[in-house]
Amino acid sequence: MNTTLTATGGTGSLTDTFAQFHDQLLLLHRLPDCDTGRERLRAEIICGCAPVARRLALRFRNRGEELDDLTQVATIGLIKAVDRYEPERGVPFASYVLPTMLGEIKRYFRDRTWTLHVQRSLQELHLAVCRAVPELSQQLQRTPTVDDLAEHLHVNAEQVRQALDCAAAYTAGSLNAPVGEDGAEGQLQDLLGDVDGEVESLPERDALRQAIDTLPERERRILRLRFVDCRTQTEIAEQVGVSQMHVSRLLARALTVLRDRLTSEDD
């Protein structure tokens, strides 16, 4: 995020806006907390500067976040600046409030937005789905289904599912996060990962494939029909053109050959 704002140059109008409240800011920070007019004066300053917060939020409107949310974040920065500003330091309010609001927006993007890269169109659809759920829930008097959302947003159901699934990319959990009450069950990383049976069996499967390749073509075909296509011996006999009894003998002989070859390789 390389957006830079200063109190001069291209932000002259912003500086003018803040300058209008110079006298009120001086008075605000001279009034004691117990003064009944202090809160009213504070609210007037914040409301008067609020349009600037929205203008600042507009600079980030195409980053996959709602403009209203970004405006609220910038307004929080404005409120913090009003409360913390110290006129006696001699720094213009604009030079203090703009970096404060910008810093608040940067923290928002750092802490609250997408951790993993997600297509902009999918981010926008995700936000649209989030807005549509409460609206449709009220209209339908039930939780909307994927098809309900798809019809409402004029997209297909698969796109809605992708938008819902991409919520998992919004934030990333820590592998050091505690599991169970008070972390009694260790950390999340302790529960991840296990022996992959498919990977562990690769050497055996490769050895079996090589052993099968040494069999005659007819026996390989019978093995494929029996154990891959799950055909009965009677069905295999009809396809191969031999009796069911002969298929049984060929199967038994092929399995014996494979067992002997694999056992001898293990030895």
Side-chain angles (χ1 to χ4, degrees):
M1 188 180 299
N2 296 320
T3 301
T4 302
L5 288 175
T6 63
T8 59
T11 59
S13 59
L14 302 185
T15 303
D16 294 341
T17 299
F18 294 126
Q20 297 174 15
F21 297 93
H22 176 72
D23 293 339
Q24 289 97 317
L25 284 164
L26 290 177
L27 178 58
L28 176 68
H29 289 274
R30 288 172 184 167
L31 291 175
D33 293 340
C34 59
D35 191 294
T36 55
R38 191 178 191 282
E39 280 302 316
R40 183 175 65 253
L41 179 59
R42 175 177 177 269
E44 289 177 359
I45 296 172
I46 292 172
C47 290
C49 296
V52 178
R54 184 171 181 84
R55 289 176 60 185
L56 181 60
L58 281 169
R59 297 172 181 257
F60 302 90
R61 64 185 181 276
N62 293 323
R63 296 176 183 252
E65 291 296 307
E66 292 286 349
L67 177 59
D68 287 345
D69 292 340
L70 294 176
T71 301
Q72 290 181 12
V73 173
T75 303
I76 291 173
L78 168 63
I79 294 171
K80 290 180 177 180
V82 170
D83 291 339
R84 298 172 183 174
Y85 179 59
E86 300 177 3
E88 61 273 14
R89 291 182 177 269
V91 177
F93 183 59
S95 299
Y96 178 70
V97 65
L98 287 172
T100 303
M101 289 193 294
L102 183 59
E104 203 68 28
I105 292 177
K106 285 184 175 181
R107 279 191 292 273
Y108 176 82
F109 275 101
R110 182 193 65 196
D111 300 336
R112 298 291 300 279
T113 55
W114 305 91
T115 301
L116 303 180
H117 175 71
V118 176
Q119 292 180 353
R120 176 63 50 75
S121 60
L122 203 54
Q123 291 183 26
E124 293 173 350
L125 181 57
H126 170 74
L127 295 174
V129 169
C130 291
R131 290 193 301 268
V133 168
E135 180 181 343
L136 287 178
S137 297
Q138 185 173 5
Q139 292 178 8
L140 303 174
Q141 296 299 303
R142 59 174 172 79
T143 303
T145 64
V146 169
D147 291 334
D148 293 331
L149 292 165
E151 181 179 357
H152 179 75
L153 297 172
H154 305 293
V155 296
N156 60 53
E158 181 59 29
Q159 288 175 298
V160 173
R161 292 190 187 95
Q162 291 177 0
L164 292 170
D165 290 342
C166 79
Y170 199 74
T171 56
S174 172
L175 292 176
N176 299 116
V179 179
E181 187 174 355
D182 299 326
E185 299 179 24
Q187 297 180 343
L188 180 60
Q189 62 184 353
D190 300 329
L191 305 180
L192 300 179
D194 199 357
V195 176
D196 189 331
E198 292 295 320
V199 174
E200 294 295 320
S201 65
L202 281 177
E204 289 80 3
R205 291 165 61 185
D206 185 61
L208 176 60
R209 180 185 58 78
Q210 293 184 38
I212 290 174
D213 287 343
T214 64
L215 295 174
E217 193 279 332
R218 184 171 65 171
E219 293 183 17
R220 295 201 305 271
R221 183 185 179 192
I222 291 173
L223 287 173
R224 182 174 63 254
L225 290 170
R226 183 70 184 92
F227 297 107
V228 177
D229 299 339
C230 299
R231 302 294 179 84
T232 65
Q233 291 188 9
T234 301
E235 292 172 333
I236 296 173
E238 292 176 355
Q239 290 199 31
V240 177
V242 297
S243 67
Q244 181 270 328
M245 185 65 68
H246 192 46
V247 168
S248 179
R249 288 196 295 268
L250 290 173
L251 273 174
R253 183 174 68 184
L255 292 174
T256 298
V257 170
L258 293 176
R259 186 183 305 111
D260 291 343
R261 289 177 179 172
L262 292 174
T263 302
S264 63
E265 288 180 5
D266 290 342
D267 292 341

